Amino acid sequence: DTPLALEMSELREAGDFLQFCLERSDDFSKRDWLASLSLLTTRRRFSTTLPLFQQYSRRLLQVAESQFGDSVHLLLHRYGVLGHAPAMWQLLPLLLAQLPLMTPKQV
């Protein structure tokens, strides 16, 4: 639903998709990051063990606090769908900091 999300949805192979995400990461908004995590589940030859995914995840985690803040639960959910526990553990302190400010719907 963003121009970058539409562009990345055309990339079917995980390697091409992740390379695009890394190259354009400076331009990604919160919605683009969320779209990329959702789209990853349907990319061919995707695995959380891919070196490109590890780079992608490190980049996303670098911007998690500044771009997601009170929406960190959305990242946790998407990483949970991917079954990628290392990122979830890294996001947990952000979630704990936001927990008192969250609505019941967000929890």
Side-chain angles (χ1 to χ4, degrees):
D1 73 336
T2 70
L4 284 173
L6 291 173
E7 218 176 315
M8 73 177 96
S9 70
E10 307 271 326
L11 302 167
R12 300 287 176 217
E13 294 291 326
D16 297 335
F17 181 88
L18 290 165
Q19 190 63 47
F20 173 86
C21 292
L22 287 167
E23 289 171 1
R24 302 296 301 271
S25 65
D26 289 339
D27 303 322
F28 270 26
S29 67
K30 175 169 67 172
R31 291 174 71 137
D32 294 317
W33 284 115
L34 291 173
S36 69
L37 282 168
S38 295
L39 288 168
L40 267 173
T41 61
T42 60
R43 301 304 96 173
R44 281 186 284 233
R45 293 183 254 297
F46 171 68
S47 168
T48 57
T49 62
L50 290 172
L52 277 176
F53 176 74
Q54 300 301 317
Q55 289 178 318
Y56 161 90
S57 191
R58 278 193 300 275
R59 178 68 179 113
L60 174 49
L61 292 170
Q62 286 174 348
V63 300
E65 188 170 5
S66 64
Q67 285 202 2
F68 287 88
D70 62 349
S71 303
V72 71
H73 63 286
L74 299 174
L75 278 181
L76 279 164
H77 169 74
R78 287 190 176 65
Y79 271 116
V81 169
L82 292 174
H84 190 60
M88 295 176 72
W89 281 109
Q90 287 184 275
L91 290 168
L92 198 54
L94 291 176
L95 178 66
L96 292 175
Q98 290 298 319
L99 203 53
L101 308 171
M102 296 171 79
T103 65
K105 182 180 178 183
Q106 292 173 309
V107 178

